[in-house]
Amino acid sequence: MNNKQIRLIREDFPILKEKIYNKDLIYFDNGATTQKPRCVVEKMEEGYYHLNANIHRGVHYLSQKATEAHETARNTVAEFLHAAKREEIIFTRGTTEAINLVATTFGEAFCKDGDEVIVSVMEHHSNIVPWQMLCERKGMKLRIIPMNDNGELKLDEFQQLLNERTKIVSVTHVSNVLGTINPVAEIIKLAHFQNIPVLIDGAQAVPHIPVNVQELDADFYVFSAHKIYGPTGIGALYGKEKWLNAIPPYQGGGEMIQTVTFEKTTYNELPFKFEAGTPDYIGSTAFAEALRYVQKIGLNEIADYEHALLTYGTEKLLEIEGMRIIGTAVNKSSVISFLIGNIHPYDIGMLLDKLGIAVRTGHHCAQPLIDSLGIPGTVRASFAFYNTKEEIDVFIEALKRVVGMLQ
Ligand code: PLP
């Protein structure tokens, strides 16, 4: 993508024109959430102004239109992930709810005392705690894939963790702290050799790299709309049909049923079996709009451009004395975590904020990873395709000023 294209893209994101403390906003907190293009917000407005009626049950015009929009959005998500069937896409509140759904229902159906779940050392809390809760409920054990000093998972040790007690493997596609792009296809293959299903947390992957769940052969793949330019409060769970049919419903209520009597309830077919209650049918259409937006720009083009930002940002950061980049995997997405000398990350983040620059500091909801590195946290700059090298230059100058003040 050239400068002109980026300028045009930036026009789609009104928030990028905001002044923060009278300074131009530089938004490098895209790992936490991305900004929304005009078309996504307009889709929500259109939904509420012109298409709002509860879906699926209505015979009237608006209800049918809203149903059609919601179900078409499901097709868009299915196509985006290259799912074999639209029924394999379940709308959830996001990545966290999707993982909880699988941990609870898969756990209920297939896990027992003495069984094991494998996650990696670099997981977000949302891919640790639901499994830990399952382990506590069932008397199971959580096993951890370690990593090397660059922040790459040790696949040989992973292989040794796999055994007849392993019931499921759940790993992140891209680390939200280190930026590491994990070799998930290989992880899936190794687990499948032993007939063990794999869930991939795609929260940090889908905004940056093209994903094909069938090529990966993932059993479950989850992500959140808000991290890929869509609205908050909605996301998707992809599950292979055979698994979604094999596990019980997650929540009970309207829509997920076929028939209800006081004696017995029979459940609806996929995908409705997992979507109890009124779904976020306005959010789903805006979610689909966000996916169309990134597809229009081109996922490969986005990956290339963001990689250039990553390389440039890394080079520039390394010019700063005392710079320590946390996460130096060969295969990395546009996330840079760092520390400078003995300065606390929080102090850096606070001062950068006063200069209009939004970065994230702390443990990034990956406390076990941060603890394993023996550090207090990191400063994290995470880039999106609307960011520029010029913004990185301003960031570097600001960082030098901040370091001067703190040392
Ligand atoms: N997994 C990863 C790798 C993440 O980075 C995040 C959010 O930062 C999540 C899961 C949780 O996503 P959400 O809060 O949208 O459910």
Side-chain angles (χ1 to χ4, degrees):
M1 290 193 281
N2 59 36
N3 287 349
K4 190 174 163 220
Q5 279 170 301
I6 300 300
R7 263 202 312 279
L8 286 175
I9 283 171
R10 287 178 69 86
E11 289 297 315
D12 293 337
F13 294 83
I15 204 168
L16 298 178
K17 291 207 171 76
E18 286 294 305
K19 297 274 183 200
I20 306 292
Y21 309 117
N22 248 344
K23 306 266 189 317
D24 289 335
L25 165 68
I26 294 184
Y27 187 77
F28 285 171
D29 194 17
N30 295 287
T33 198
T34 52
Q35 300 302 346
K36 316 304 168 201
R38 225 179 271 279
C39 61
V40 167
V41 180
E42 284 170 0
K43 206 69 187 170
M44 298 200 76
E45 195 179 86
E46 179 192 84
Y48 281 121
Y49 284 167
H50 303 292
L51 279 174
N52 184 39
N54 207 335
I55 62 170
H56 290 145
R57 290 171 291 270
V59 290
H60 62 82
Y61 177 87
L62 271 186
S63 176
Q64 288 187 17
K65 281 287 176 200
T67 304
E68 195 181 305
H70 181 68
E71 291 308 324
T72 306
R74 196 188 307 277
N75 297 346
T76 307
V77 179
E79 284 158 21
F80 180 79
L81 289 180
H82 301 276
K85 297 182 174 180
R86 63 187 304 284
E87 292 79 9
E88 294 176 319
I89 301 297
I90 311 296
F91 285 117
T92 65
R93 284 196 300 120
T95 306
T96 304
E97 190 179 55
I99 297 173
N100 274 280
L101 186 159
V102 178
T104 304
T105 59
F106 182 92
E108 188 58 38
F110 296 109
C111 298
K112 61 177 190 318
D113 186 29
D115 286 343
E116 297 178 358
V117 178
I118 299 178
V119 298
S120 87
V121 66
M122 64 176 78
E123 298 309 319
H124 188 280
H125 293 163
S126 64
N127 198 26
I128 299 173
V129 184
W131 301 112
Q132 228 163 22
M133 289 163 71
L134 170 64
C135 287
E136 273 170 28
R137 274 199 309 276
K138 295 272 181 172
M140 295 164 61
K141 211 165 166 187
L142 197 64
R143 308 295 300 270
I144 315 298
I145 313 169
M147 65 180 195
N148 65 20
D149 291 343
N150 296 331
E152 293 159 326
L153 293 179
K154 294 182 175 174
L155 290 197
D156 46 345
E157 297 205 21
F158 167 58
Q159 239 172 319
Q160 283 165 20
L161 288 175
L162 292 165
N163 65 63
E164 68 285 351
R165 292 181 300 278
T166 314
K167 282 290 146 38
I168 189 163
V169 175
S170 191
V171 289
T172 193
H173 197 162
V174 171
S175 160
N176 65 315
V177 180
L178 309 167
T180 311
I181 303 175
N182 286 318
V184 288
E186 222 173 316
I187 288 172
I188 291 168
K189 205 177 280 171
L190 289 170
H192 282 181
F193 269 134
Q194 307 202 29
N195 290 322
I196 300 162
V198 181
L199 181 149
I200 302 295
D201 172 354
Q204 296 290 342
V206 288
H208 305 293
I209 48 180
V211 171
N212 184 323
V213 289
Q214 288 189 82
E215 259 173 41
L216 288 176
D217 203 17
D219 298 282
F220 300 100
Y221 196 100
V222 301
F223 71 107
S224 302
H226 72 96
K227 290 188 196 286
I228 183 164
Y229 314 97
T232 54
I234 188 162
L237 159 68
Y238 158 81
K240 278 184 186 166
E241 189 180 27
K242 69 165 184 178
W243 285 117
L244 294 179
N245 277 326
I247 58 181
Y250 180 46
Q251 294 179 330
E255 202 57 50
M256 50 75 72
I257 53 87
Q258 208 137 45
T259 60
V260 179
T261 66
F262 284 118
E263 287 70 40
K264 184 162 175 61
T265 291
T266 57
Y267 304 127
N268 207 339
E269 58 197 16
L270 293 177
F272 310 113
K273 168 183 163 187
F274 291 102
E275 294 181 356
T278 300
D280 185 0
Y281 54 86
I282 302 285
S284 63
T285 52
F287 180 9
E289 186 65 25
L291 298 182
R292 278 192 293 276
Y293 182 81
V294 293
Q295 280 173 320
K296 211 164 75 191
I297 295 173
L299 285 155
N300 287 314
E301 285 73 10
I302 289 172
D304 288 348
Y305 178 76
E306 289 179 346
H307 191 74
L309 290 182
L310 170 72
T311 308
Y312 185 74
T314 305
E315 277 168 19
K316 286 281 169 188
L317 281 171
L318 286 172
E319 287 172 8
I320 295 173
E321 217 181 292
M323 175 61 59
R324 181 175 160 206
I325 291 186
I326 312 292
T328 50
V330 175
N331 213 359
K332 239 187 113 163
S333 83
S334 55
V335 173
I336 314 179
S337 266
F338 63 89
L339 288 168
I340 306 174
N342 289 324
I343 306 174
H344 198 281
Y346 185 72
D347 295 334
I348 296 177
M350 286 279 287
L351 288 177
L352 283 176
D353 171 56
K354 296 291 176 285
L355 299 169
I357 300 171
V359 292
R360 188 139 294 240
T361 62
H363 56 56
H364 316 295
C365 293
Q367 232 170 318
L369 170 64
I370 296 294
D371 289 348
S372 78
L373 293 166
I375 54 177
T378 75
V379 182
R380 183 185 74 183
S382 47
F383 308 128
F385 55 73
Y386 45 58
N387 291 130
T388 64
K389 287 186 179 172
E390 289 71 30
E391 285 183 315
I392 292 177
D393 290 339
V394 176
F395 166 60
I396 297 293
E397 285 315 305
L399 206 47
K400 285 179 183 164
R401 254 181 85 187
V402 164
V403 171
M405 287 160 77
L406 291 170
Q407 266 177 346

